[in-house]
Amino acid sequence: DAGVIQSPRHEVTEMGQEVTLRCKPISGHDYLFWYRQTMMRGLELLIYFNNNVPIDDSGMPEDRFSAKMPNASFSTLKIQPSEPRDSAVYFCASSPWMGGGSSYEQYFGPGTRLTVT
Amino acid sequence: SQKIEQNSEALNIQEGKTATLTCNYTNYSPAYLQWYRQDPGRGPVFLLLIRENEKEKRKERLKVTFDTTLKQSLFHITASQPADSATYLCALEASGTYKYIFGTGTRLKVLA
């Protein structure tokens, strides 16, 4: 398997523009996570899905952020409108179902480095 | 409030020595704790998971301990090598939520 695939790897945009980040999880994984990483705040969970259904979006910072998972092999994270404080590295991760409980390991993608000017 | 603390200062050690990284937490009662490795420009990579009823877990040169009384996990790399240089993140399961909360990581540099 190619692992978790994210695109684009780098994105530079101007404040106010819409940004869409894409993720293809590992085939057969039931869980998909979106994280944001900054120097100041570290790695923060934004939202996660189970079997394409959003389970917890309490980490989404504002209504400007939205995430979808239309099928088991694709998810998007959209920021509209973008602001300079959204600049960060955004990671997608997936996990197989481990029979319940939290004993799963997450497989991270390479990340998308977003710069909003 | 809930807090995870990892030493933000970089840890430099000589090749061949044992590196020990610390993860302390407050106001959590995690049933699971994980350690990940992150190299510059890459996503974190899973290393080890330990359960609350396991005091110690080993994998090759890696060892993790989990002390729920002290609210602390120690991560050891024995016979360290320059290739072990990376940032190491601990992650705690947020009590029955299926979510993991990550620490900010400790950067390890192994000197040849």
Side-chain angles (χ1 to χ4, degrees):
Chain A
D1 202 316
V4 175
I5 298 172
Q6 291 188 247
S7 64
R9 293 294 312 276
H10 302 273
E11 177 81 33
V12 180
T13 190
E14 291 184 348
M15 182 173 63
Q17 296 298 306
E18 177 179 298
V19 174
T20 299
L21 311 180
R22 297 173 176 78
C23 174
K24 177 178 168 53
I26 293 173
S27 177
H29 281 191
D30 293 311
Y31 291 88
L32 183 139
F33 307 82
W34 281 101
Y35 288 89
R36 176 172 69 177
Q37 187 174 42
T38 60
M39 288 293 291
M40 290 297 295
R41 300 174 67 90
L43 196 61
E44 301 174 283
L45 178 65
L46 301 177
I47 185 171
Y48 80 93
F49 296 81
N50 181 21
N51 291 323
N52 313 337
V53 176
I55 302 301
D56 189 329
D57 65 354
S58 59
M60 297 285 261
E62 298 172 31
D63 291 345
R64 298 184 296 106
F65 287 69
S66 63
K68 293 182 180 179
M69 192 164 185
N71 58 61
S73 59
F74 184 66
S75 177
T76 59
L77 178 68
K78 187 177 292 187
I79 308 172
Q80 165 65 21
S82 58
E83 296 183 3
R85 60 193 167 119
D86 301 330
S87 297
V89 180
Y90 290 80
F91 288 103
C92 175
S94 69
S95 286
W97 183 63
M98 297 294 286
S102 301
S103 58
Y104 58 84
E105 58 184 270
Q106 298 177 66
Y107 295 78
F108 283 79
T112 295
R113 181 172 295 276
L114 173 65
T115 303
V116 183
T117 60
Chain B
S1 63
Q2 297 174 326
K3 206 173 183 183
I4 303 172
E5 287 186 348
Q6 292 187 260
N7 193 343
S8 59
E9 291 183 13
L11 176 65
N12 294 335
I13 65 164
Q14 270 319 114
E15 181 177 8
K17 300 292 186 183
T18 295
T20 299
L21 284 65
T22 304
C23 177
N24 294 303
Y25 58 93
T26 56
N27 296 325
Y28 279 108
S29 296
Y32 304 88
L33 187 148
Q34 298 181 348
W35 283 87
Y36 286 77
R37 168 183 174 141
Q38 187 173 23
D39 291 285
R42 295 179 175 266
V45 174
F46 172 83
L47 295 175
L48 281 166
L49 177 147
I50 187 166
R51 294 171 171 76
E52 63 178 339
N53 60 353
E54 296 175 322
K55 298 301 180 187
E56 182 180 297
K57 198 99 173 258
R58 290 175 186 261
K59 178 182 176 183
E60 298 171 355
R61 293 185 296 112
L62 309 179
K63 184 179 86 171
V64 171
T65 63
F66 191 8
D67 189 325
T68 55
T69 301
L70 289 179
K71 293 188 180 295
Q72 180 182 78
S73 174
L74 299 179
F75 177 79
H76 307 272
I77 306 175
T78 58
S80 59
Q81 304 165 1
D84 295 325
S85 299
T87 295
Y88 292 87
L89 306 168
C90 72
L92 277 62
E93 177 252 2
S95 303
T97 65
Y98 300 100
K99 298 192 295 188
Y100 276 86
I101 310 300
F102 282 78
T104 53
T106 298
R107 193 167 73 246
L108 172 68
K109 186 168 184 179
V110 181
L111 306 170

